[in-house]
Amino acid sequence: MDQFDVAVVGLGVLGSGAAYYAAKKGAKVIAFEQFELGHVRGASHDTSRIVRTSNFAPEYVALAKSAYKDWAELERESGYKILTVTGGVVFFAPDSPTPATDFTKSLDLHNVPYELLDSQEVKRRWPQFDIPDNVSTVFTADSGIAHAAKTVGTLQALARFHGAILKDNTPVDRITPQASGGVLVETPKGRFKAVKAILATDAWINKLLAPLSIHIPVSIMQEQVTYYKPTDAAPFETDRFPVWIWQGANCYYGFPCYGEPTIKAGRDYSNNLMTPEQRTFVHSPQLLAQLTSFMNGFIPDKERQALRTVTCQYTITPGRQFIISPLENYPDIIVGLGAAHAFKFAPAFGRALAELAVDGGTNEDISKWGIPKAATVNSKL
């Protein structure tokens, strides 16, 4: 039975990043994906994800600043252009649960440049938007787009380049801590020993934690985004239109044209609850109608057409906090959960997981991202 330094379970963007950075550090790495590489069953597929340093919580701003350096290094090493900077606007409606001042405090703390814009200035710069006068807007010039599928594929290719073994269509049945240290990884295709294991299994996390009598309370939901064909795509190209987020009673977000003459939009956190086994991959007509109604008022275009709607899977932790932490009672097992907002941080997130596994610690501030107190230990399991 081969001995590895690090075993990574789950090869979405976070697990792929962890495998790459661990292998780059010289570790002997084996990584497992239960489905085919690049599959659409999780949350790392499709094309675009918003990247931004702006965030409500200072700890996320700090990690995002680190991630931007990692994104640049990833582009240098791979030779691929992965990020497209468009600038980004966050709109704060009167019914937003959080005001713009909460947002800007985090930016001020980390010296991230931004502009506060009134509705007239927004309309002057981007007449595509139609926003009420009572909406506050924060603009950050460094915001933009990461190509999702290209990011995952690049991380996997670089992991292999640095010697990692990636096994697709190989589900992990059980992770067993060993009395002498390390873990035993059991799969239908064999058993493997590793000094450390990184679990980046998202919605499937509790399947592997259950035999350890641990349960992290997560909510899993099917979300969706829709690609719309505007009457005229030219005003929505990346040099003329920013990524955007609407903070109101509901949160919406969207993108300029990116690789095709469509604009993409979605609602964040729609509470369309399910389990991975229940997931239909069929979009909700109700959510599509709700999104289209919002878009009709927000970015008016009478002739705009909805071309396609793509589903994805959200796995929400308590407080929607990241988890980047070893298990308290099993420190050779490290958990990484991104709470459905981690893609923008992916290189730094994966690197931090790798550093925990290989070096025993990371310089990133992960102090608030431990195993949540709501996690239960069930002695009957």
Side-chain angles (χ1 to χ4, degrees):
M1 190 182 304
D2 286 341
Q3 175 78 41
F4 293 87
D5 298 314
V6 179
V8 178
V9 187
L11 284 172
V13 72
L14 302 183
S16 297
Y20 160 54
Y21 284 104
K24 187 178 181 182
K25 293 175 76 66
K28 187 178 181 182
V29 176
I30 187 166
F32 306 92
E33 170 53 55
Q34 63 179 324
F35 305 116
E36 69 277 7
L37 297 181
H39 67 82
V40 300
R41 297 170 179 84
S44 296
H45 59 285
D46 204 29
T47 54
S48 50
R49 296 291 189 279
I50 292 176
V51 290
R52 54 189 168 97
T53 51
S54 57
N55 208 291
F56 287 104
E59 61 269 23
Y60 290 108
V61 178
L63 188 66
K65 291 180 73 172
S66 291
Y68 267 66
K69 297 176 183 177
D70 293 323
W71 283 114
E73 178 59 31
L74 185 62
E75 288 185 327
R76 284 192 294 270
E77 181 162 357
S78 68
Y80 289 130
K81 179 177 172 58
I82 297 175
L83 294 192
T84 300
V85 175
T86 62
V89 282
V90 181
F91 301 103
F92 291 86
D95 57 352
S96 171
T98 49
T101 52
D102 285 3
F103 203 71
T104 56
K105 284 178 184 176
S106 292
L107 302 180
D108 288 333
L109 186 63
H110 289 286
N111 299 311
V112 175
Y114 64 88
E115 296 178 65
L116 283 172
L117 308 177
D118 61 25
S119 60
Q120 294 307 309
E121 180 62 16
V122 169
K123 292 175 183 178
R124 186 189 70 80
R125 295 192 191 186
W126 306 286
Q128 303 91 326
F129 292 118
D130 186 10
I131 62 171
D133 291 339
N134 58 358
V135 170
S136 300
T137 303
V138 178
F139 170 74
T140 47
D142 64 352
S143 297
I145 302 169
H147 193 294
K150 184 187 289 184
T151 298
V152 177
T154 298
L155 289 169
Q156 292 169 354
L158 288 175
R160 280 180 162 149
F161 175 79
H162 287 283
I165 298 171
L166 308 187
K167 291 185 170 290
D168 61 346
N169 294 302
T170 307
V172 171
D173 297 324
R174 191 180 181 103
I175 301 280
T176 305
Q178 302 296 285
S180 58
V183 299
L184 178 66
V185 181
E186 299 180 58
T187 80
K189 299 180 181 180
R191 305 197 302 169
F192 307 84
K193 288 184 178 180
V195 178
K196 300 286 184 180
I198 295 172
L199 307 186
T201 52
D202 208 47
W204 296 270
I205 184 65
N206 286 314
K207 174 187 174 184
L208 292 178
L209 294 182
L212 304 176
S213 300
I214 298 171
H215 178 86
I216 296 176
V218 294
S219 299
I220 302 165
M221 55 193 75
Q222 179 174 285
E223 298 294 326
Q224 61 191 56
V225 294
T226 296
Y227 289 81
Y228 294 93
K229 183 180 183 301
T231 303
D232 181 7
F236 297 98
E237 295 296 334
T238 53
D239 59 346
R240 298 177 62 183
F241 192 68
V243 294
W244 58 266
I245 298 171
W246 175 270
Q247 294 283 351
N250 293 324
C251 178
Y252 297 94
Y253 61 94
F255 301 76
C257 296
Y258 183 67
E260 62 177 317
T262 64
I263 58 174
K264 170 182 166 183
R267 175 183 164 185
D268 181 60
Y269 205 96
S270 64
N271 281 310
N272 188 13
L273 296 171
M274 45 137 244
T275 68
E277 295 73 28
Q278 294 169 333
R279 185 175 171 191
T280 65
F281 297 89
V282 177
H283 77 263
S284 161
Q286 292 80 12
L287 289 176
L288 174 57
Q290 180 191 66
L291 174 64
T292 300
S293 176
F294 170 79
M295 291 289 287
N296 287 343
F298 179 60
I299 307 175
D301 181 353
K302 291 183 179 179
E303 302 301 319
R304 182 170 52 225
Q305 301 176 53
L307 290 189
R308 68 182 183 277
T309 299
V310 178
T311 66
C312 68
Q313 187 169 262
Y314 271 27
T315 302
I316 306 298
T317 58
R320 209 167 180 180
Q321 292 288 309
F322 285 170
I323 297 177
I324 306 176
S325 176
L327 295 175
E328 183 177 356
N329 295 329
Y330 305 102
D332 292 335
I333 299 176
I334 299 161
V335 175
L337 288 175
H341 65 111
F343 207 104
K344 65 184 75 65
F345 308 92
F349 197 121
R351 176 174 51 76
L353 289 171
E355 289 167 348
L356 287 176
V358 178
D359 303 329
T362 176
N363 289 328
E364 301 296 340
D365 181 6
I366 59 172
S367 57
K368 294 187 177 181
W369 301 328
I371 304 298
K373 293 180 179 178
T376 59
V377 177
N378 186 349
S379 61
K380 296 181 180 179
L381 291 176

